[in-house]
């Protein structure tokens, strides 16, 4: 592909894209009309709610020493415990990442959240990714608050033990806010999990994988172009269409991350907190990964995978046994090569490298280094069974013979769900489900004939709010099987999920039981640039 050819193509595409941009602006003004003056408490505490745990949480500007030299300006969640133990909130030292909040199933939690972001235009709201909550506790963009406003969350944790997380969810601005540093883990434990002999405390290690591009002054460069054609800001436009891919990997907010371990077992809780990058996790030793948990908590029993796919929003828990290593040994956790996540025949692969400056999807990367530094006796052995896991039976679904279709497509460079873009409160009859019912949904990643930019589409991590689901089937178009074959052994479909990777040409069938909370909930692509551009819809749980 010649430079001239691609430049002409993207100019035309850019103009088309500008035309659609107007809709997003209109959606933004809805919010300004509704959220009231600065300084107000948009949702006040409920006097009848008695919390077991109470936190204060704030989103504000800060600086972080990430690279040598200039500190990086970041936006960060900071928190403190108002009621509870100090151990319910754990800060990650030296990181822009928010604190780890810890709760037990059944606890009632109050979080007083204040938006202290430094730009007037940065309304925000906190979404508790993976938790099943009432609609006004879920962080829907229609509840976004402006700077200096406060929103009080009050909810009971009903999810099982697992690695959940929180991040901003204002419409059109999530990508930038997450990129600037707003994200944190919400770890739930329960009695069943506590009764298991799993690694605890220092041996229970959160690993948040993100990618960033730094400019010459060590600042985050987001949607700023930065490639060969940055003068025309094509880079920003392409990043928005394909998703931002950073030049370097950060773990827990730090570059060149090294995990010092003893010769024993660790529980690694891995979150892909990246905007758009999909990782194919693999050990440098070639050993399989032992998976004990997914998005919605522990599996029934451990499973071995040659590698594990982890798309934005997904979590995986690993049993990492270093007892067979000598002190002094080193290994790495890598992202291995894969293909097919973006159209290899289209222009995108080549453009991506030039545009965002980050390596294209599927490029091998070193994520972190493990150094075995001390000998320790290993007291634990891998449990044969981990947790009770209810298996949903798709044959019992109210729509068993007619799965609800969720079609992913691209039209004029805009990603759509069932042909539509996000509307703040818009929801169709086809997007309405009944509380307390079991349904099957089928996500179909369609081809896009006629789309010059990406006729085969790209991989999308699809996330549902308000429910945890199980993957009950996958198939792929024969024409796109070659790429799929480089990732499919890394799907962990054995447990509860809230986010699922759907490759080009793939159909994924999900089973889910909606709970009692009624109202509007989101389903969307967790590629944050896709989400911000409107690859998101409401669904209604009707009572
Ligand atoms: Cu993690 Cu709707 O998001
Ligand atoms: Cu979510
Ligand atoms: Cu997407």
């Amino acid at each position: 592909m010649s430079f001239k050819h691609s430049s002409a193509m993207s100019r035309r595409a850019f103009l088309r894209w500008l035309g659609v941009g107007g809709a997003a602006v209109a959606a933004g003004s809805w919010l300004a009309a509704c959220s009231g003056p600065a300084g107000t408490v948009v949702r006040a505490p409920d006097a009848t709610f008695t919390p077991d745990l109470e936190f204060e949480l704030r989103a504000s500007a800060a600086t972080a020493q990430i690279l040598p030299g200039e500190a990086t300006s970041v936006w960060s969640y900071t928190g403190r415990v108002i009621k509870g133990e100090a151990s319910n909130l754990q800060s990650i030292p030296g990181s822009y990442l928010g604190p780890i909040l810890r709760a037990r199933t059944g606890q009632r939690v109050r979080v007083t959240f204040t938006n202290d972001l430094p730009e007037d235009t940065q309304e925000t709201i906190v979404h508790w990714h993976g938790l099943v909550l009432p609609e006004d506790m879920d962080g829907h963009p229609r509840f976004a608050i402006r700077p200096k406003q406060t929103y009080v969350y009050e909810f009971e944790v009903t999810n099982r033990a697992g690695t959940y997380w929180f991040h901003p969810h204002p419409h059109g601005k999530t990508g930038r806010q997450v990129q600037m540093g707003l994200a944190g883990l919400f770890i739930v434990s329960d009695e069943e999990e506590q009764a298991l002999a799993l690694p605890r405390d220092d041996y229970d290690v959160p690993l948040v994988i993100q990618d960033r591009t730094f400019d010459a002054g060590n600042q985050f460069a987001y949607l700023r172009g930065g490639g060969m054609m940055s003068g025309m800001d094509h880079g920003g436009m392409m990043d928005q269409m394909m998703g931002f891919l950073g030049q370097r990997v950060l773990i827990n907010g730090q570059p060149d991350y090294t995990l010092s371990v003893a010769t024993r077992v660790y529980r690694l809780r891995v979150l892909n907190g990246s905007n758009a990058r999909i990782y194919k996790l693999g050990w440098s030793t070639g050993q399989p990964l032992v998976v004990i948990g997914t998005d919605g908590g522990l599996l029934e029993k451990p499973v071995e995978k040659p590698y594990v796919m982890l798309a934005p929003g997904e979590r995986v828990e690993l049993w990492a046994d270093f007892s067979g290593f000598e002190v002094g040994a080193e290994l790495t956790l890598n992202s291995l090569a894969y293909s097919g996540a973006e159209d290899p025949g289209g222009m995108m692969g080549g453009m991506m490298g030039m545009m965002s400056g980050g390596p294209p999807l599927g490029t091998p990367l070193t994520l972190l280094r493990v150094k075995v530094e001390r000998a320790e006796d290993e007291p634990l052995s891998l449990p044969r069974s981990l947790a009770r896991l209810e298996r949903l039976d798709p044959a019992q679904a109210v729509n068993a013979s007619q799965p609800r279709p969720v079609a992913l497509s691209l039209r004029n460079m805009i990603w759509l769900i069932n042909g539509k873009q996000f509307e703040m409160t818009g929801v169709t009859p086809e997007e309405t489900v009944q509380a307390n019912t079991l349904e099957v949904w089928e996500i179909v990643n369609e081809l896009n004939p006629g789309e010059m930019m990406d006729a085969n589409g790209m991989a999308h991590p699809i996330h549902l709010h308000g429910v945890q689901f199980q993957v009950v089937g996958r198939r792929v178009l024969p024409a796109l099987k070659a790429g799929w074959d480089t990732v499919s052994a890394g799907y962990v479909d054995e447990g509860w999920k809230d986010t699922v990777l759907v490759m080009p040409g793939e159909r994924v069938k999900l089973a889910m039981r909606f709970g009692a909370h009624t109202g509007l909930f989101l389903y969307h692509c967790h590629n944050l640039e896709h989400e911000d551009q409107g690859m998101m819809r409401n669904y209604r749980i009707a009572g």
Side-chain angles (χ1 to χ4, degrees), residues 127 129-130 463 465:
H127 168 56
H129 180 128
H463 170 52
H465 288 217

Side-chain angles (χ1 to χ4, degrees), residues 408 415 458-462 525-527 530-531 535:
L408 315 177
W415 298 104
M458 66 178 290
H460 300 282
I462 299 300
C525 182
H526 220 287
N527 175 316
H530 292 184
E531 172 184 336
M535 196 181 190

Side-chain angles (χ1 to χ4, degrees), residues 76-132:
S76 190
Y77 288 122
T78 51
R80 87 195 162 90
V81 179
I82 307 291
K83 181 177 181 189
E85 310 285 315
S87 60
N88 288 118
L89 184 149
Q90 176 194 347
S91 299
I92 305 180
S95 175
Y96 58 75
L97 282 180
I100 300 172
L101 304 182
R102 292 178 189 272
R104 280 196 319 277
T105 305
Q107 283 189 312
R108 277 162 310 170
V109 180
R110 176 182 287 150
V111 182
T112 300
F113 171 66
T114 300
N115 177 357
D116 258 337
L117 293 177
E119 296 174 11
D120 290 347
T121 54
Q122 296 299 321
E123 69 266 9
T124 194
I125 193 73
V126 180
H127 168 56
W128 313 95
H129 180 128
L131 298 185
V132 176

Side-chain angles (χ1 to χ4, degrees), residues 27-28 30-31 140-143 171 422-426 520 522 538:
W30 181 90
L31 186 118
H140 187 285
R142 72 189 188 279
F143 298 117
H171 183 49
F422 182 61
E423 301 162 87
M424 189 60 84
T425 53
L520 285 188
L522 297 166
N538 289 308

Side-chain angles (χ1 to χ4, degrees), residues 127-130 138 167 169 463-466 498-499 524 526:
H127 168 56
W128 313 95
H129 180 128
D138 192 51
H167 62 76
H169 222 304
H463 170 52
L464 272 64
H465 288 217
D498 53 56
T499 308
H524 63 87
H526 220 287

Side-chain angles (χ1 to χ4, degrees), residues 323-375:
S323 64
F325 291 88
E326 304 283 319
V327 171
E330 278 193 34
L331 58 152
T332 56
L333 182 65
N334 298 332
S335 184
L336 310 174
Y338 61 90
S339 61
E342 49 190 326
D343 184 359
M347 309 170 36
M348 302 319 310
M351 301 269 305
M352 282 308 289
M354 283 189 287
M355 289 308 179
S356 68
L361 290 177
T363 306
L365 303 165
T366 300
L367 304 180
L368 63 91
R369 196 165 298 281
V370 178
K371 280 193 183 164
V372 184
E373 286 193 330
R374 12 179 253 290

